[in-house]
Amino acid sequence: LYSGLVSPYFATVGALLGIPLAIGLHAWLPWHIQGAAIVILVIASVPICQRSAVLLGRKDPREVVLDEIVTIP
């Protein structure tokens, strides 16, 4: 998606990608499953983002916006 490469607003653009995720969760899932899905997405994103940071050799690299995406819903 390359949203992490949109300088200088990489986090904002990444967060905007969370809006379609939120709309999709709201449209297709009951509220109690939405909450569980969001918790699962956030928990799953932590090791993914940590591993990406290690591979890129930087703390919180701007190219990694998964953490911004999953926190919007």
Side-chain angles (χ1 to χ4, degrees):
L1 296 172
Y2 302 105
S3 63
L5 302 176
V6 179
S7 181
Y9 307 108
F10 53 91
T12 302
V13 174
L16 290 175
L17 292 174
I19 293 172
L21 175 63
I23 291 169
L25 288 172
H26 178 72
W28 292 309
L29 297 175
W31 67 269
H32 58 285
I33 297 177
Q34 289 176 31
I38 291 167
V39 168
I40 290 168
L41 287 171
V42 169
I43 291 171
S45 73
V46 171
I48 293 169
C49 292
Q50 286 176 339
R51 180 68 178 148
S52 299
V54 168
L55 291 173
L56 293 170
R58 295 191 311 271
K59 182 180 178 182
D60 196 19
R62 68 181 198 153
E63 297 89 357
V64 180
V65 293
L66 180 61
D67 50 342
E68 283 88 3
I69 293 171
V70 300
T71 56
I72 291 299

